[in-house]
Amino acid sequence: MNRKIKETGSDRAFNIVNYIVLSLFFITVLYPCVYIVSASFSSTDAVISGRVWLWPVEPGLKGYKAVFENKAIGTGFFNSIYYTVAGTVINVVLTIMAAYPLSRHDFVGRNVIMFVFVFTILFSGGLIPTYLLVKELGLLNTRWAMILPTALSVFNMIITRTYFQTTIPREMLEAAQVDGCSDLKFLRSIVLPLSGPIIAVITLFYAVGHWNSYFNALLYLKDRDLYPLQLVLRSILIQNQIDPNMITSEEDLVARQGLADLLKYSLIVVAAVPVLIIYPFVQKHFVKGVMIGSIKG
Amino acid sequence: MSYQEVTPHMQTVTRPAKKRRLLRDMAKVWQLYLLMILPFAFIIIFKYVPMYGAQIAFRDFVVSKGIWGSEWVGLRHFVRFFQSYEFWNIMKNTITLSLYQLIAGFPFPIILALSLNYVGNLKFKKTVQMVTYAPHFVSVVVMVGIIFQILDPRIGLVNAVIKMFGFEPVDFMGRAEYFQSIYVWSGIWQNVGFNCIIFLAALSGIDPSLHEAAVVDGASKIRRMWHIDLPGIMPIAVILLILNVGHMLEIGFEKVYLMQNPLNLRTSEIIDTYVYKIGLASQVVQFSYSTAIGLFRNIINFILLIAVNHIAKKMNQSSLW
């Protein structure tokens, strides 16, 4: 027991250092987020003169008012919800349709078909041929262009297949087959009810992917009414194109510029909020997804 | 597995009988094929048709003539790319950026995981995890928007600090020498938490009796970390590193493209952004030339992936996966 007391000295030092290291990580990640939120609630004047450090200065909602008055942002928001919901439904259905047969040992040809799928991770035709295909199919500048080219992710298909293989006991299938249960019925009434966790995981992966993506929209969409939120954000945050109409309430140029600066902070918050609101509830699913993904299929 | 057990019997069966048997096995699971139709059609149309279309890299593709009507020019587009004055610069940028990212990004998730693993206070641990995972879910556009705001020469936070100390503000995005660092470190900021998940899992898989034995022998926490935890997660760390080398040419194109501007183009032009620009975003679209460059990248990528998977497989024969 004497020894134990001696050790606590070095272990206590370790604990202190450990807490310092973790706090550094914590603050480094947290501070920029807090700063942006605070800036978004400050006055234009405080933002321009750089008086915001930690808490909102001269708090107000001017930035948010400007965000919500912007029509393009509203349209983009609606479009993004549309693409996310429709796209994710198709994604999940297709993923299960591919993953289940490939998880079955008695599926003749599974190795060949699996190879056909996996090969597309290793090699692809590239940007231009894909673009030409989408154009050829007449999908350019339609909502389908946001949904069909990404209708299935082979990576998600593989983790779903791994899940089926490891959680659905083969005896269960054999018992069901003896009772004359068809494959489709088995999938519907046995496999799917047991697959809640994996369906949650891939739904999240797909949904966040749809919500956050901008590049396919940039490639395939010309019509501004079809733009998803991320593309609207790009034109405001990155390209600095702010529709002058939305800040006509300000008379002089300086105030207008100031509002444009403030608006960006508010916009970042508004754009990040939908994902971050559901995030605490789904965090454990994501962690699970990473785990399943890391076990080789 | 059961297939291999069955095959010896099948060898004794005559060929037509074998075929019949195969057909019977296939017929038994016809509903599975039914399920497979749509996903399989998707893969063929949206993945394999573009691979077939990639042959325009060897032709002078003219839209009105179609793929087969366009003239075959062999490797001309490839040679043109290799001889172009941009070639070396683009290759250098692509490789240095991904190596930078690979090396700088390697230690931090491991440190975070080791550190989290020794926290007694569960509430603190959960809070740190919650906060450090969160930026992973922020979109590229918003992330780059955050970078621009924080580094803005006029109103940005970083320059506010610089000005406070009496220095001149720096236009970070306008200086080519800062581009790669901004790209890499903002990436680490965004993903360190999420990337540590896999190491946390590896740590929880370490046999607790090792730690118990070490405690009995009087090992301090720092020694246990060094001699038990670190060797415990090294196999995973090395494999991840190797696999990442395989993805070397696939840097986050979307982020690079958003961060680019004419002032930092010297260091920020990578293969993928170049392909996009000359292929689709420029005044004179050069489908074939652009496809050739993309194909060149994909072939190198393919070779790297195969090599790297081979090495990883050899290495992990006795390890975790």
Side-chain angles (χ1 to χ4, degrees), chain A residues 41-98:
Chain A
F41 283 108
S42 298
S43 70
T44 45
D45 192 44
V47 167
I48 306 173
S49 53
R51 280 186 285 130
V52 181
W53 291 104
L54 185 61
W55 302 116
V57 177
E58 299 157 16
L61 294 169
K62 232 172 152 186
Y64 289 93
K65 204 170 147 251
V67 168
F68 288 113
E69 277 170 2
N70 186 325
K71 257 185 92 185
I73 295 173
T75 317
F77 212 89
F78 168 77
N79 285 334
S80 277
I81 290 175
Y82 182 97
Y83 300 139
T84 303
V85 173
T88 306
V89 169
I90 292 178
N91 286 146
V92 172
V93 171
L94 275 189
T95 304
I96 292 171
M97 284 166 80

Side-chain angles (χ1 to χ4, degrees), chain B residues 1-292:
Chain B
M1 282 297 157
S2 66
Y3 268 147
Q4 269 111 37
E5 289 154 26
V6 177
T7 35
H9 299 283
M10 289 175 66
Q11 276 164 357
T12 58
V13 189
T14 53
R15 261 190 139 213
K18 195 172 149 188
K19 208 171 171 185
R20 257 208 312 279
R21 188 174 176 151
L22 186 71
L23 282 175
R24 208 181 59 212
D25 283 345
M26 286 174 78
K28 233 193 272 173
V29 292
W30 66 273
Q31 291 187 331
L32 298 183
Y33 291 101
L34 193 70
L35 282 174
M36 204 39 141
I37 291 173
L38 272 181
F40 196 74
F42 165 80
I43 286 285
I44 297 298
I45 295 172
F46 283 97
K47 303 286 176 182
Y48 282 88
V49 171
M51 281 185 214
Y52 170 80
Q55 60 170 289
I56 62 170
F58 305 98
R59 294 174 185 272
D60 255 338
F61 181 65
V62 183
V63 179
S64 56
K65 287 184 189 166
I67 292 177
W68 287 102
S70 301
E71 188 197 350
W72 182 271
V73 295
L75 295 174
R76 207 181 68 198
H77 297 298
F78 292 88
V79 174
R80 184 180 148 206
F81 177 54
F82 299 146
Q83 289 174 346
S84 74
Y85 73 100
E86 287 116 331
F87 176 72
W88 289 110
N89 191 35
I90 292 171
M91 287 309 283
K92 195 190 88 203
N93 288 342
T94 310
I95 292 166
T96 51
L97 189 60
S98 56
L99 280 183
Y100 188 174
Q101 178 171 248
L102 215 63
I103 293 164
F106 182 67
F108 292 96
I110 298 179
I111 296 170
L112 181 60
L114 286 173
S115 196
L116 278 169
N117 198 37
Y118 276 97
V119 173
N121 185 338
L122 264 183
K123 225 175 185 173
F124 182 62
K125 184 177 173 179
K126 285 259 181 297
T127 316
V128 174
Q129 280 179 294
M130 185 84 147
V131 168
T132 50
Y133 294 179
H136 177 80
F137 300 102
V138 166
S139 73
V140 214
V141 178
V142 172
M143 185 63 212
V144 176
I146 292 175
I147 296 172
F148 281 15
Q149 288 308 100
I150 300 259
L151 297 180
D152 191 277
R154 201 161 37 84
I155 60 165
L157 179 64
V158 174
N159 277 306
V161 175
I162 290 176
K163 276 187 264 185
M164 205 169 68
F165 286 103
F167 295 103
E168 282 294 300
V170 183
D171 180 13
F172 288 99
M173 293 318 297
R175 302 272 289 271
E177 65 267 35
Y178 293 128
F179 173 82
Q180 297 201 327
S181 293
I182 296 170
Y183 176 86
V184 168
W185 291 101
S186 62
I188 294 173
W189 180 84
Q190 191 179 10
N191 293 315
V192 63
F194 208 72
N195 290 345
C196 95
I197 293 176
I198 188 152
F199 296 114
L200 276 179
L203 283 172
S204 67
I206 290 173
D207 187 355
S209 65
L210 287 174
H211 280 288
E212 284 156 21
V215 170
V216 170
D217 288 345
S220 64
K221 279 185 174 175
I222 186 86
R223 298 202 73 131
R224 274 155 55 199
M225 186 188 261
W226 188 257
H227 291 291
I228 300 173
D229 292 334
L230 210 55
I233 57 175
M234 259 312 137
I236 277 212
V238 171
I239 284 170
L240 281 182
L241 191 67
I242 294 173
L243 290 178
N244 283 337
V245 172
H247 295 281
M248 224 168 83
L249 298 186
E250 303 170 27
I251 329 173
F253 157 70
E254 300 199 340
K255 189 172 159 194
V256 176
Y257 183 67
L258 290 176
M259 287 174 67
Q260 263 182 1
N261 60 46
L263 296 172
N264 64 22
L265 212 54
R266 184 162 58 77
T267 54
S268 66
E269 190 79 291
I270 59 170
I271 299 179
D272 286 354
T273 54
Y274 190 66
V275 167
Y276 172 66
K277 275 186 211 159
I278 59 167
L280 293 172
S282 75
Q283 299 293 325
V284 196
V285 288
Q286 307 179 56
F287 284 136
S288 284
Y289 184 44
S290 171
T291 306

